[in-house]
Every structure is written in C-alpha cells, then in structure tokens.
Amino acid sequence: MPELPEVETVRRTLLELAAGKTIASVDVRWPKMIKQPEADAFRDALIGETIQSIDRRGKFLIFQLDHYALISHLRMEGKFSVNHSSDPEAPHTHVVFTFTDNTELRYRDVRKFGTMHLTAKGTEHELASLRVLGPEPFDERFTAEHLYEKLQKTSRQVKTALLDQIIVTGLGNIYVDEVLFRSRVHPHRLGRTITKNEARDIHQHTISVLAEAVERGGSTIRTYVNSQGQKGTFQEVLNVYGRAGEACVECGAEIVKTKTGGRGTHVCLHCQPLEHPL
DNA sequence: AGTCTAGCCTGGGAGC
DNA sequence: TGCTCCCAGGCTAGAC
C-alpha cells in the first residue's frame, strides 16, 4: 500500500532508471485508468517526450516531460518497472511506455485502482486532486499549530482526519496507526478533544515515522517493491500495524484490531486509552 | 460546508 | 475440492 515513503522510494529508484529516456510509443491496455485526457490523446501526446525528472507531491508521482507533466497515483498495488523490450511481461501490466533505446517503463496493478493524468507542463498543481492537498510533512508549513487548529475544527475521529490529505499529505493506513501509537493517542478520539501537547506529539511523530520509513525504503506488507524490485524494511519495526494479538512492545498488553470508518485499525488500549468511548 | 458512504478492483484466505 | 463471502484500502462522486 504505497504511502509517502513507498512513493518517495519509487521516485528515487525510477529516476535512476528512466531519466533522460525518450518515449517512442505507448500501449494502454486498460483505458479506464487514464483519467485525462482520453487514452488515445494521452498516447499521442507522449510520443517523442523525454523524461526530464520525477517529482512527488503527497502520494502522487509527477513525471516532468518536455511539454507535459504525467501525474501517476499507485493507489494500493500499482508498480513501475523498467525492462528491456524482450523481457517477459508480468501479469496485470496495463500501460507500457516504450523508449527509443528498446527499454520499457511498465505499469502493473493487480487491482486496477491506479490513475494517470496528463497536464501541460507547469500546470500540474492546478489538477483538482493535487490542488486540494495539504502541506508536505517535511515542509516548514506543516507545523504543530497548523495541525492543532485543523483538529480543533473537526468532529471527525483523529485517525480519519489524519488520513484526509488536507491537514497533512502522505499518511496512509499503516503509518497513521504507528504515528498515533507513538503519540499515545487512541485513533477514535475526536479531533476537537486533542490537546495542544498531543497535537505537538502527533506532529513530531508524523515527521519522524515518515522520515524513518523513507530511510528504510518503505514497508512491504503484502506486495510492495520499488522500481528495482526491492522490498522495504520498515515493516520490521512496526509497533502496531499488522500485530493484532501480539504483545505491545511498550507495556505487553495485547494489540487489538478494530475499525475506523471501514479501515482496519491497530491499537494498544493500555498505551492509547480512549477516555470517551463512542 | 463538513461529513459520510458506496464504488472502483482482484487475489487470497476463511468457512462450509 | 470447490463454492461463497469477506477483507485489503486511497480516493472520488454523490448524498445528506
């Protein structure tokens, strides 16, 4: 499940493999994933374009080309790889960009949830899904005060609020559980009940958890690999996610799995007490 | 305006 | 063995 650390790792590995390559042809086998423009126009526009660089905004990858920006979201299972044209193709390959040097950028995605948008270069941040994003966790505009104010104004549960990419961008279901565990805050606490000190903890741990996960190349829970086929290692140091039934590393109590707005949530009820049960 | 829910997808595992 | 059901979950459109 690519969250910020996984997407950042994909960006770094892909940049090494694909920067400077020029697109000779594009094969779209699952047109529904091309959201803008239509698949035919998408394909035609990309021919002759060279990959200048690759950026990231939240969980979105942004390929900077000569005249366009290609915005890709991997959602749950999306993966990029660079292969020689003669390499056997993995199942669930939905888009293939063939370069002039007979290598290919391949996008595969078992669940077909991923999306691609093409915009004129320089206008990518006007795309609706990018425009609404809140600050990057490593940006100075993401402050404890900003977080506290946003949480004060919401009646949503704190985990739901943190998953909304408007307060801070990049957290997903794995890292938000870890951040709240490190902050000793129960995910079901209502946003407006979070104190200033708790907001400071959540702010600090959002940054530290995501930074450590980037250093470790992300977390491989089920299938995630970077664009060189390598797994991450942050799953080795997860405290709560995926550890239901195991003992809490801090207090020994059993990690419990519950649900937050339909999403699986992992919590130590001793370290993260819920003063006001719903 | 803020919040909630269904839908998008498929593979893997549990239960019968 | 083979069937059905449920789960994984980021994001968006539409409803309330």
Side-chain angles (χ1 to χ4, degrees):
Chain A
M1 293 142 259
E3 304 176 29
L4 186 148
E6 290 76 26
V7 178
E8 177 60 21
T9 304
V10 168
R11 186 191 73 79
R12 293 178 183 183
T13 52
L14 205 48
L15 190 60
E16 281 189 42
L17 296 170
K21 298 202 179 213
T22 300
I23 297 168
S25 63
V26 181
D27 189 4
V28 179
R29 291 92 178 268
W30 186 254
K32 275 181 80 172
M33 71 167 295
I34 310 299
K35 300 299 181 184
Q36 173 186 312
E38 296 208 354
D40 285 350
F42 174 89
R43 185 194 60 216
D44 292 347
L46 286 171
I47 293 172
E49 293 283 313
T50 297
I51 297 177
Q52 304 290 354
S53 63
I54 307 174
D55 300 334
R56 178 189 59 72
R57 176 76 173 100
K59 303 173 193 172
F60 291 83
L61 284 171
I62 305 173
F63 293 79
Q64 297 291 353
L65 308 168
D66 298 324
H67 306 94
Y68 300 96
L70 169 59
I71 299 115
S72 164
H73 199 301
L74 307 175
R75 296 289 180 98
M76 261 70 75
E77 299 271 354
K79 291 169 187 65
F80 279 107
S81 63
V82 177
N83 305 82
H84 194 272
S85 300
S86 60
D87 290 344
E89 193 172 283
H92 312 292
T93 298
H94 303 312
V95 185
V96 176
F97 305 84
T98 301
F99 296 119
T100 52
D101 65 355
N102 283 324
T103 61
E104 297 178 344
L105 174 64
R106 297 174 181 174
Y107 178 80
R108 63 186 197 278
D109 186 346
V110 171
R111 307 280 286 282
K112 296 179 176 172
F113 273 16
T115 60
M116 291 186 192
H117 292 77
L118 197 65
T119 71
K121 192 178 177 83
T123 68
E124 61 270 19
H125 294 287
E126 295 166 27
L127 192 70
S129 42
L130 293 191
R131 203 173 52 220
V132 299
L133 296 178
E136 291 286 322
F138 307 133
D139 190 289
E140 59 186 15
R141 280 171 294 182
F142 176 53
T143 64
E145 291 70 29
H146 163 87
L147 176 65
Y148 176 69
E149 285 168 21
K150 291 282 188 184
L151 289 176
Q152 280 299 297
K153 287 178 189 163
T154 185
S155 58
R156 304 162 101 180
Q157 295 170 335
V158 61
K159 171 166 174 174
T160 304
L162 290 172
L163 284 175
D164 190 331
Q165 303 293 297
I166 288 176
I167 294 181
V168 59
T169 178
L171 284 176
N173 204 45
I174 297 170
Y175 297 114
V176 75
D177 278 4
E178 294 301 312
V179 167
L180 290 171
F181 172 77
R182 290 193 187 188
S183 305
R184 302 295 182 260
V185 169
H186 193 291
H188 293 173
R189 292 268 304 283
L190 299 185
R192 59 169 177 261
T193 73
I194 300 300
T195 67
K196 269 188 182 171
N197 281 337
E198 287 171 332
R200 254 193 289 275
D201 284 345
I202 294 169
H203 171 258
Q204 182 193 324
H205 288 125
T206 296
I207 295 168
S208 64
V209 164
L210 291 175
E212 287 171 35
V214 169
E215 277 182 33
R216 285 177 163 268
S219 302
T220 298
I221 302 296
R222 286 164 20 81
T223 64
Y224 164 76
V225 290
N226 68 28
S227 292
Q228 296 172 331
Q230 300 155 330
K231 297 180 176 183
T233 66
F234 195 78
Q235 69 280 2
E236 296 166 8
V237 296
L238 291 173
N239 288 313
V240 286
Y241 186 90
R243 298 192 64 239
E246 298 179 32
C248 171
V249 293
E250 291 294 325
C251 74
E254 186 177 318
I255 303 297
V256 172
K257 185 170 183 186
T258 176
K259 284 218 166 214
T260 311
R263 304 257 126 71
T265 290
H266 308 77
V267 60
C268 171
L269 294 173
H270 181 258
C271 294
Q272 301 163 271
L274 183 58
E275 296 92 327
H276 307 288
L278 295 172

